[in-house]
Amino acid sequence: MAYVIVDLSETRILVPILFYAGIFTILPLAIHGSYRYRMSRISWRGIRFGYRGDRNELIQNFFKWIFFTIITIGNYGPWMTINLRKYLLGNVRFVMLFLLSYYGFHSIVLLVSNSVDS
């Protein structure tokens, strides 16, 4: 009978890394799916909204923005938030005629996120 000795120090590091990698992988899919669902259920005076964003484009942008946030040690976080909102709201349709747009101010988000962290 052979016994296998498992070094727990490696698994204590590896498990959280895999867990958070899995969360970050699923997150853009959840955002895309929730916007499609919510916008298809919202109506104003009988006229429905719609979300026409591309899932692959959102995934590419999301990981690009996460990469920039990690490289800049979190300083790109407010810009990531603004870019994500701009992308999501830019793909919301109302009666197929009106495109919603979002103009955010990075400095306000930066100030709010810094005051919450303190």
Side-chain angles (χ1 to χ4, degrees), residues 62-112:
F62 184 80
F63 286 120
K64 179 177 64 173
W65 298 330
I66 287 286
F67 175 73
F68 289 150
T69 303
I70 291 170
I71 285 182
T72 61
I73 313 169
N75 288 330
Y76 190 76
W79 283 272
M80 177 186 166
T81 303
I82 297 298
N83 288 337
L84 184 61
R85 287 181 187 171
K86 187 184 294 186
Y87 178 81
L88 292 173
L89 293 177
N91 286 304
V92 171
R93 304 288 192 260
F94 180 66
V95 196
M96 299 302 234
L97 298 175
F98 302 105
L99 298 174
L100 299 179
S101 60
Y102 178 77
Y103 299 102
F105 298 101
H106 306 300
S107 58
I108 293 173
V109 175
L110 184 63
L111 290 174
V112 170

Side-chain angles (χ1 to χ4, degrees), residues 41-76:
R41 301 301 189 263
I42 294 175
S43 65
W44 181 68
R45 296 186 181 190
I47 302 169
R48 291 220 176 256
F49 284 78
Y51 175 72
R52 303 289 183 246
D54 183 31
R55 182 179 58 205
N56 293 331
E57 184 180 358
L58 177 63
I59 290 171
Q60 288 173 354
N61 286 336
F62 184 80
F63 286 120
K64 179 177 64 173
W65 298 330
I66 287 286
F67 175 73
F68 289 150
T69 303
I70 291 170
I71 285 182
T72 61
I73 313 169
N75 288 330
Y76 190 76

Side-chain angles (χ1 to χ4, degrees), residues 14-60:
L14 188 60
V15 170
I17 290 173
L18 291 176
F19 175 75
Y20 287 115
I23 293 291
F24 280 123
T25 303
I26 294 172
L27 196 58
L29 297 173
I31 292 170
H32 176 77
S34 68
Y35 257 79
R36 284 190 64 141
Y37 179 78
R38 283 191 287 170
M39 291 301 125
S40 69
R41 301 301 189 263
I42 294 175
S43 65
W44 181 68
R45 296 186 181 190
I47 302 169
R48 291 220 176 256
F49 284 78
Y51 175 72
R52 303 289 183 246
D54 183 31
R55 182 179 58 205
N56 293 331
E57 184 180 358
L58 177 63
I59 290 171
Q60 288 173 354

Side-chain angles (χ1 to χ4, degrees), residues 108-118:
I108 293 173
V109 175
L110 184 63
L111 290 174
V112 170
S113 67
N114 284 340
S115 64
V116 171
D117 292 338
S118 300

Side-chain angles (χ1 to χ4, degrees), residues 3-16:
Y3 292 101
V4 177
I5 299 174
V6 177
D7 186 15
L8 293 179
S9 65
E10 292 178 9
T11 59
R12 288 182 185 168
I13 295 171
L14 188 60
V15 170

